[in-house]
């Protein structure tokens, strides 16, 4: 893959090993008194982009074999997959348009997907959470980051991807709202956290911001990669 795409490089990524939705927990922090609250528990670990390419990004027969081995040995079809934790953002403009991107044919992730939403990764390096710093006996060993730090980076990643891919600044964005978890079987069953974000910009303003910003990476064509899809059609299930 490096021969075909020399720009690729390895980096640590979070691994989403599983999750428990609707977990009831006792909450004494946010309310100041004991109460019951439903929270999502994410089971995070560490992996890297190299392992992602060697598992989730393999051909279908290889992915099927890895899923079968995971089920037989670990009781989990994705037990031997990298399962890099990604974030995907549905950005809504003031004129009720959802912003999408047309992907370049040479993109390495989801090459069969022609249109996608802004997406990327939460970064372990932003939390001082690199493998060589967490291993027992490591020279520069650090304590594990708190849950609050990890959650902050995941939500920050959603805004970062919108800023980097569309050129929309943070001060024109609302706080991300987690709306679900998506499992993508075109990428070996990888999970993505889906966020909804609104911008105080119209679709025309977003288009101009994207065209003038340095956001045109290898993953998207430029500047005509930007597409707008009416929110009402999305809610009606018209996005195919």
């Amino acid at each position: 893959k490096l021969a075909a795409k020399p720009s690729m490089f390895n980096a640590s990524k979070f691994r989403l090993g599983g999750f428990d939705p609707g977990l009831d927990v006792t909450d004494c922090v946010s309310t100041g008194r004991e109460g019951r609250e439903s929270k999502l528990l994410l089971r995070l670990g560490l992996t890297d982009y190299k392992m992602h390419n060697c598992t989730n990004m393999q051909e279908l027969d290889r992915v099927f074999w890895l899923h079968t081995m995971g089920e037989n040995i670990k009781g989990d079809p994705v037990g031997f997959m990298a399962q890099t934790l990604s974030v995907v953002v549905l950005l809504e403009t003031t004129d009720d348009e959802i912003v999408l991107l047309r992907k370049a044919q040479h993109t390495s992730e989801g090459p069969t997907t022609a249109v996608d939403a802004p997406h990327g990764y939460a970064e372990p390096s932003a939390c001082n959470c690199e493998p060589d710093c967490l291993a027992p006996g490591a020279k520069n060993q650090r304590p594990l980051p708190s849950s609050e730090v990890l959650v902050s980076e995941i939500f920050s990643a959603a805004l970062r991807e919108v800023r980097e891919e569309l050129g929309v600044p943070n001060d024109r964005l609302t706080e991300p709202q987690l709306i679900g978890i998506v499992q993508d079987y075109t990428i070996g069953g990888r999970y993505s956290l889906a966020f909804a974000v609104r911008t105080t910009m119209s679709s025309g303003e977003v288009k101009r911001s994207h065209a003038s910003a340095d956001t045109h990476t290898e993953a998207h064509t430029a500047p005509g990669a930007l597409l707008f899809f009416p929110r009402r059609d999305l809610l009606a299930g018209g996005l195919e």
Side-chain angles (χ1 to χ4, degrees):
K1 288 198 172 185
L2 280 174
K5 193 175 181 184
S7 60
M8 290 179 63
F9 63 93
N10 195 24
S12 296
K13 301 297 176 187
F14 288 113
R15 181 182 191 273
L16 181 55
F19 55 91
D20 293 321
L23 184 69
D24 286 333
V25 297
T26 299
D27 177 49
C28 305
V29 178
S30 61
T31 62
R33 62 184 184 277
E34 185 171 329
R36 303 301 294 180
E37 186 175 273
S38 181
K39 291 188 177 182
L40 175 66
L41 175 65
L42 302 178
R43 303 188 184 279
L44 296 181
L46 290 175
T47 184
D48 58 35
Y49 200 67
K50 178 181 179 181
M51 189 59 66
H52 170 66
N53 275 277
C54 291
T55 57
N56 290 76
M57 294 301 297
Q58 291 296 302
E59 299 294 332
L60 287 179
D61 57 345
R62 179 69 174 175
V63 168
F64 177 77
W65 181 81
L66 287 168
H67 282 181
T68 302
M69 293 293 289
E71 181 66 46
N72 292 341
I73 296 174
K74 295 191 171 186
D76 180 4
V78 296
F80 289 121
M81 310 300 286
Q83 295 301 92
T84 51
L85 172 62
S86 71
V87 298
V88 59
V89 182
L90 292 179
L91 180 68
E92 185 177 352
T93 63
T94 55
D95 49 345
D96 298 325
E97 298 282 329
I98 302 298
V99 185
L100 302 175
L101 290 158
R102 191 185 305 278
K103 298 173 67 175
Q105 293 183 350
H106 58 268
T107 183
S108 61
E109 288 205 8
T112 60
T113 305
V115 175
D116 207 345
H119 69 281
Y121 296 100
E123 300 293 351
S125 58
C127 308
N128 291 321
C129 192
E130 294 285 2
D132 59 348
C133 299
L134 301 178
K139 184 177 180 180
N140 54 344
Q141 187 175 7
R142 302 190 186 104
L144 287 170
S146 66
S147 295
E148 290 77 11
V149 169
L150 295 174
V151 169
S152 176
E153 166 54 18
I154 291 170
F155 276 70
S156 295
L159 297 180
R160 184 167 63 240
E161 294 307 320
V162 173
R163 183 178 70 250
E164 291 181 354
E165 296 191 13
L166 300 178
V168 179
N170 282 11
D171 60 3
R172 303 297 299 272
L173 300 171
T174 63
E175 288 296 316
Q177 299 294 315
L178 179 62
I179 58 175
I181 298 178
V182 180
Q183 190 168 21
D184 189 346
Y185 285 99
T186 68
I187 310 181
R190 183 185 70 179
Y191 296 117
S192 295
L193 299 185
F195 290 91
V197 177
R198 287 188 62 90
T199 176
T200 57
M201 300 169 71
S202 67
S203 56
E205 290 175 310
V206 171
K207 187 174 183 179
R208 289 191 292 273
S209 179
H210 176 259
S212 61
D214 184 20
T215 60
H216 307 137
T217 67
E218 62 181 22
H220 306 99
T221 56
L226 214 56
L227 302 172
F228 297 93
F229 196 86
R231 179 177 181 271
R232 63 180 181 276
D233 292 345
L234 180 65
L235 293 177
L239 181 57
E240 298 180 355

